[in-house]
Amino acid sequence: MNCTSCNKGLLKPSFIEGQFRSHTCTHCNGHWILIEDFAAWKERNPTFEFADNISFEAETSDTKKALICPVSGVIMRKFRISSSSDHRIDYSAPVGGIWLDAGEWELLKEEGLAGTLNAVVTQQWQNQIREQSTKQNFSDIYADKFGTDTYAKVKDLREWLNAQPQKADLRAYLMAEDPYSAEK
């Protein structure tokens, strides 16, 4: 197979960290992994954990262009790996294959995601990332608007208020222009 990323190398059979099958490009060192190979290996090795406390200093490439599946010839989808990273991996749904650019395997290990490679390409995982990203975006907006210290105090107050049995009355008291007035 020809490399889907650099179009210069060949995809040669290999193993990632000597654990599960992949095909590695002879030119750019990217990896083509079939989810079924990873899942079968994971099933046979349920207690195996990849070291995630590595010191990762290598350059990680992230292909910005759409990649073509080296098996089916269809355009692969890009999936974010986590809400803390904008990095994306490429996935071919018809084949169930993942393309990892050079350095992406190490990035997955650093993020603690190497053992859950098959979960990253699920809709549930992607929905979770979207939800976490949305929450973080709103948090950033509030911190910018109120200032970091004020935002922290307001969050503490909100948490305290939500824990109170009379929270509706407390909110009404706080929202009233003059809580001691008999007029509306």
Side-chain angles (χ1 to χ4, degrees):
M1 285 188 291
N2 291 327
C3 178
T4 188
S5 183
C6 72
N7 296 313
K8 296 177 184 172
L10 295 175
L11 298 178
K12 297 288 185 179
S14 63
F15 284 86
I16 294 197
E17 294 189 17
Q19 299 298 320
F20 59 92
R21 290 189 301 191
S22 74
H23 286 78
T24 303
C25 176
T26 57
H27 183 261
C28 70
N29 294 319
H31 299 285
W32 172 248
I33 302 164
L34 294 177
I35 290 294
E36 68 184 44
D37 288 341
F38 177 81
W41 171 83
K42 189 75 174 148
E43 198 172 286
R44 290 188 308 272
N45 301 280
T47 60
F48 185 88
E49 292 186 27
F50 292 100
D52 59 358
N53 58 351
I54 62 170
S55 92
F56 178 63
E57 297 176 17
E59 184 69 27
T60 303
S61 61
D62 187 8
T63 308
K64 300 299 180 197
K65 65 179 180 167
L67 296 182
I68 304 295
C69 172
V71 176
S72 68
V74 300
I75 294 175
M76 293 193 283
R77 290 183 57 197
K78 294 197 175 287
F79 285 88
R80 282 185 61 187
I81 61 170
S82 71
S83 61
S84 62
S85 172
D86 287 332
H87 210 88
R88 299 172 189 272
I89 60 174
D90 301 276
Y91 178 64
S92 173
V95 176
I98 293 177
W99 176 259
L100 298 178
D101 291 308
E104 285 182 333
W105 174 252
E106 289 75 15
L107 178 63
L108 287 168
K109 285 175 37 176
E110 182 181 47
E111 294 273 338
L113 300 173
T116 58
L117 182 60
N118 51 332
V120 172
V121 294
T122 63
Q123 192 61 48
Q124 180 182 2
W125 187 277
Q126 295 302 306
N127 289 345
Q128 182 181 352
I129 289 173
R130 239 182 259 86
E131 185 178 313
Q132 290 169 346
S133 294
T134 300
K135 285 180 181 179
Q136 186 59 51
N137 288 342
F138 276 113
S139 183
D140 292 345
I141 289 168
Y142 292 138
D144 286 345
K145 186 173 188 160
F146 305 143
T148 308
D149 292 340
T150 301
Y151 180 50
K153 288 176 185 175
V154 168
K155 283 186 356 183
D156 289 342
L157 176 62
R158 180 181 172 83
E159 187 178 319
W160 173 85
L161 184 62
N162 283 331
Q164 299 305 307
Q166 296 174 328
K167 62 184 166 195
D169 292 334
L170 290 168
R171 285 185 187 133
Y173 174 83
L174 288 173
M175 297 303 295
E177 186 74 31
D178 180 1
Y180 305 106
S181 172
E183 296 185 27
K184 288 187 178 186

